[in-house]
Structures are given as structure tokens and as C-alpha cells.
Amino acid sequence: MAILLCGLIGLERELRAKQAGLKTMIMIGLGSTLFTILSIKIGIGNADRIASNIVTGIGFLGAGVIFKEESKVRGLTTACVIWIVAAIGMAIGAGFSEQAIGVTVIVLLALILFPYVEDFVQHRSTSREYRIVKKYENEGLDSYEEHFKIAGLKLSRGQQNLSDGIISGTWTAAGSPKNHKLFVDHMLQDEKILEFQF
């Protein structure tokens, strides 16, 4: 049962080319199941002695798949899936098969359906970071904030720096992909901008 349930979740991760796939999920599920059975069998009077450490061990595995890429954090979903696969394995090892099956169905539905929901939300509104660098000409970068508003983006001002006659600023803007494209196209035509990150 551990191979089947954890394998189904692992297969979904494998098809999406995630870091932890079919083999990893099966091994985590089997390991959690076996540790739970051993904890019950040999931990007489203290049945949670071994099982309680599964959660700690899984934390290390989960941390290994989380990494930061530029301004985004990747691997959080995979880390959560590793954590819940271990919980499914523990449920099977403790004899709670119905709960394990129920949670597996919910997890699979979430993993399959949520990407479509996320795509729908992102097409309505997405957040991006922008950085503008230009030569300082006795004025700040406030005028560029008007361009954000004209493009229909909601913005949050970040850090602004002035050094050696060069002024730079960062913003986080939220809006539809169409509005982001409108803003980027406008900024790319500005000859005063020395560097534009988007």
C-alpha cells in the first residue's frame, strides 16, 4: 500500500520533472512505514520513540530541495509533498489505511488541479521586480513611477541609490501580463536608461 499510494504521488512529481520523483517518494513512504512499524513493535511502553524522529529526519530531506533563484524560492511544494508522503507512510505503518488513502486522493487532486488555478490567477495578476539605472541629472526616479501607473500596475517602491553620478531604483509591481508588457516596451524605448532589469 505504501508503494502504491506514495508511488502515485511520486509519479505526479516525476511527470512534472520535479527534484523528488517516483523513486524518492516510494523510498520515503516505505521508510516511514517501516520506522512506524518498528516503533510500535520494539518501542513497548514508548511507541513514539522512533516514529517521532521521522518528522525531524524528513525536515532535512525537505530542506535539501528548497533553493532560492534570483527573487523566487523554488522547491517548497516538493518539500511539502515529501513531508506529507512521510505522514502517509506513518499512517500505513500504524494501521490507518483509510486515512492514508483519503489524504493521498486529496494531495493528488491538489497537485493536479492547483497549477490550473495558479495559471488563471497569474493571467489576471502577477508580481515582478524592476530595476532602473540611469545617469543622475538633478532629479530622482519619481517620474518613472508615473509610467507604472499609466501601464495600470500597482507598485511598491524598493531601495534607491545614488553613487558616482549614477542613480538606481527598484520596484515591485503587480498587474496583468499585458500591463507588464506595456510598461516594459515603454521603458525599452527610453534612451536615458543605462540598465533595465525586468
Side-chain angles (χ1 to χ4, degrees):
M1 184 174 284
I3 291 171
L4 175 63
L5 298 183
C6 299
L8 286 172
I9 294 172
L11 182 61
E12 188 279 337
R13 296 281 87 190
E14 192 81 42
L15 292 173
R16 291 189 185 275
K18 300 299 181 180
Q19 301 100 315
L22 181 63
K23 291 183 290 184
T24 305
M25 295 303 173
I26 289 175
M27 295 301 173
I28 291 169
L30 280 175
S32 299
T33 302
L34 181 58
F35 276 128
T36 304
I37 293 170
L38 291 173
S39 187
I40 293 168
K41 296 288 186 184
I42 66 178
I44 299 169
N46 192 10
D48 63 344
R49 185 164 53 106
I50 298 172
S52 62
N53 289 300
I54 295 172
V55 179
T56 307
I58 289 302
F60 285 103
L61 286 178
V65 298
I66 299 172
F67 61 96
K68 187 173 182 182
E69 186 179 83
E70 295 178 354
S71 61
K72 295 181 180 178
V73 177
R74 298 191 179 275
L76 280 175
T77 302
T78 302
C80 292
V81 172
I82 287 173
W83 179 66
I84 205 159
V85 161
I88 291 169
M90 289 180 72
I92 295 167
F96 298 103
S97 300
E98 292 179 4
Q99 289 85 345
I101 293 169
V103 169
T104 301
V105 170
I106 292 169
V107 169
L108 285 172
L109 285 173
L111 291 174
I112 292 167
L113 296 178
F114 280 6
Y116 296 104
V117 176
E118 288 174 349
D119 286 344
F120 175 76
V121 172
Q122 285 182 354
H123 277 90
R124 293 180 64 89
S125 180
T126 184
S127 180
R128 295 184 188 173
E129 286 192 7
Y130 293 97
R131 182 170 183 264
I132 296 173
V133 179
K134 65 183 287 285
K135 187 177 180 182
Y136 180 65
E137 296 174 334
N138 297 319
E139 62 177 357
L141 298 171
D142 294 346
S143 60
Y144 288 101
E145 294 186 2
E146 288 301 317
H147 295 297
F148 282 104
K149 295 173 184 176
I150 291 169
L153 298 172
K154 295 179 181 177
L155 74 149
S156 173
R157 181 189 289 191
Q159 191 175 17
Q160 296 198 2
N161 298 308
L162 175 63
S163 177
D164 297 327
I166 301 295
I167 188 169
S168 64
T170 58
W171 294 266
T172 301
S176 68
K178 181 181 177 181
N179 290 349
H180 282 289
K181 185 179 185 308
L182 183 67
F183 173 73
V184 169
D185 289 344
H186 185 73
M187 289 298 99
L188 291 175
Q189 295 174 12
D190 192 327
E191 296 180 355
K192 291 182 179 180
I193 295 177
L194 300 176
E195 182 181 339
F196 179 50
Q197 293 180 1
F198 56 96

